[in-house]
Amino acid sequence: MVGGRSLGRRFGWLWTSYAVSTLGTWLAFDAFPLIAILVLHAGTTAVSALAAVGPAVGAVLALPLGPWVESRPKQPVMIAMDLARFAALTSVPAAYALGGLTFAQLAVVSVVVGAAGIAFTAAGGACLKELVPPQDLLVANGRFESTTWTATLLGPPLGGVAIAAFGPMATVLANAVSHLLSAAGIRAIGRPAPRPAPAGAPRRLRSGDLFAGWRYILGDSVLRPLFLNTVLVSGLITATSPLLAVLMLGPLGFAPWQYGLAFAAPCVGGLFGSRLAPRLVARFGQHRVLLTAGTLRVCWLPWLAFVGPGTAGLVLVMAVEFGIITCMGVFNPVLATCRLERTPADRAARTLLAWSVSGRAAIAALTALWGLLAAVTGPRTAIAIAGALAMATPLLLPRSVPADRTALSGGSRGGR
């Protein structure tokens, strides 16, 4: 079976490292807001600022890392980013134990973790391209996707139990340790492939290097529409989350555990979709799966505007979330594979970093915009508007997917 074959020891260590660090991240998903509220007694505005500003500033600071990541062996970069996250996160319980924890420190740690996470993801995608043959990229990306949804399903409940038993500092420390274990796993992959010698003398970083990833994306006839589609869809879906929370926990009267269940249980759909993706591509082809799954993943969103109280409302939310997440479970690994196939190895890190930064910026901007919109129209109307706009996003999907650009140009495939 396609999804069950071994991809080798080196990929196994990469996958294990990703699984450990992802689970640690989801264990500590709500830790910083809880620390700000329970320990530092921060108000709603400060907590919202912490949630938005940290990742946003981290994304901006990650920009100069793209050319740096591109010019270095990827495994040492990933280890460095894991160690940076370990050090930053460990400083929080250490400062708390010494009585010196401040809100400013939480904000700085959030920025460092956000920037290091973006750089790690960019280097990890390039590393995957070096470790896995082209024909196995979809299987590998499907395993990463299934791991993401497993961690999303298990992490917050386990983190909630840990917080109840030991306090929020326990989950922050667990997250820090997960990055240390991830660094050990990356190191176990073995010596990276020799880096090609530069064609000329080393040159200084130029401002144009920061935007090379975007230039490549926007210059590719397939990546450009996929980029615009995914950035907009991610932003619109995420922008509805706080509005739905306000609606469900406020006027509709759902208990917090019901709200958590409504979003945790449907993550099973992500596991199902990620396992199904390679079989669908083998049968129908990459483009048809991208177009179909990319369209279906937004058809569910408008229904959230009709959620009501009681069991019927809870079932509606769970059904809609299951539909969205299942379609995303199919779409995301196929998208990741298409993106790697069409990007030369010497541009992969900057391209992935540009994609990630854009996605985070769009999520932050649209979440803020929809918060203002909800203040004027109400959360239900704002959710309906987001759903209507999302229904138009399939128009941005590519009408065809020609042979991958790296093959046509004779570009490198990571030295394989």
Side-chain angles (χ1 to χ4, degrees):
M1 186 167 58
V2 173
R5 67 170 174 265
S6 171
L7 299 183
R9 181 192 65 84
R10 302 182 77 201
F11 170 78
W13 279 115
L14 179 65
W15 187 18
T16 300
S17 298
Y18 176 81
V20 170
S21 63
T22 302
L23 180 59
T25 298
W26 281 101
L27 278 171
F29 180 65
D30 289 327
F32 274 24
L34 287 174
I35 291 171
I37 295 168
L38 300 177
V39 177
L40 302 177
H41 309 292
T44 303
T45 302
V47 173
S48 298
L50 178 65
V53 173
V57 175
V60 173
L61 294 182
L63 278 176
L65 295 176
W68 179 78
V69 171
E70 201 76 80
S71 64
R72 285 162 175 77
K74 303 305 177 285
Q75 289 153 242
V77 170
M78 296 166 72
I79 292 172
M81 295 302 103
D82 267 333
L83 293 179
R85 288 187 283 185
F86 168 75
L89 289 166
T90 304
S91 74
V92 174
Y96 173 74
L98 296 173
L101 182 63
T102 64
F103 186 85
Q105 181 180 351
L106 283 184
V108 170
V109 171
S110 180
V111 168
V112 171
V113 170
I118 292 175
F120 180 93
T121 300
C127 181
L128 178 65
K129 191 175 175 70
E130 295 172 355
L131 294 181
V132 177
Q135 66 272 18
D136 289 332
L137 279 175
L138 179 55
V139 175
N141 281 311
R143 292 178 185 177
F144 284 128
E145 185 72 11
S146 65
T147 300
T148 298
W149 290 114
T150 301
T152 307
L153 175 64
L154 299 178
L158 293 176
V161 172
I163 288 172
F166 307 107
M169 292 298 170
T171 59
V172 174
L173 188 58
N175 190 17
V177 172
S178 77
H179 294 301
L180 186 63
L181 294 175
S182 172
I186 298 298
R187 190 176 187 279
I189 291 174
R191 182 174 298 178
R195 191 160 39 110
R203 61 176 179 82
R204 287 185 176 183
L205 175 67
R206 299 180 301 190
S207 60
D209 293 335
L210 302 179
F211 305 101
W214 281 287
R215 285 201 303 270
Y216 186 80
I217 292 169
L218 297 177
D220 187 281
S221 61
V222 173
L223 294 184
R224 181 175 60 252
L226 285 173
F227 170 73
L228 297 174
N229 173 272
T230 54
V231 166
L232 185 55
V233 169
S234 297
L236 287 172
I237 290 177
T238 306
T240 64
S241 295
L243 308 185
L244 191 59
V246 170
L247 191 61
M248 293 180 67
L249 297 174
L252 297 180
F254 287 100
W257 72 266
Q258 292 175 310
Y259 174 77
L261 178 65
F263 291 93
C267 291
V268 174
L271 300 177
F272 174 70
S274 61
R275 297 284 294 178
L276 194 60
R279 302 175 190 177
L280 291 176
V281 170
R283 181 170 181 179
F284 299 107
Q286 185 184 82
H287 172 248
R288 187 175 295 181
V289 173
L290 280 172
L291 190 61
T292 303
T295 300
L296 290 176
R297 83 193 198 280
V298 298
C299 291
W300 302 87
L301 193 60
W303 291 99
L304 291 176
F306 300 98
V307 62
T311 303
L314 184 63
V315 170
L316 174 62
V317 174
M318 293 178 69
V320 168
E321 293 296 325
F322 181 82
I324 292 173
I325 292 172
T326 300
C327 295
M328 290 174 64
V330 173
F331 180 85
N332 289 347
V334 181
L335 166 68
T337 300
C338 177
R339 187 169 56 196
L340 284 177
E341 288 175 345
R342 299 191 64 82
T343 306
D346 60 354
R347 300 183 188 180
R350 275 179 287 184
T351 299
L352 294 175
L353 187 140
W355 203 296
S356 181
V357 167
S358 299
R360 295 195 181 203
I363 286 172
L366 289 176
T367 299
L369 180 60
W370 250 255
L372 295 175
L373 180 62
V376 176
T377 66
R380 194 182 295 274
T381 301
I383 291 171
I385 293 172
L389 290 175
M391 290 288 288
T393 58
L395 296 175
L396 294 173
L397 291 169
R399 299 299 100 186
S400 62
V401 177
D404 72 82
R405 186 168 164 178
T406 58
L408 291 173
S409 63
S412 168
R413 286 193 174 274
R416 284 189 302 273

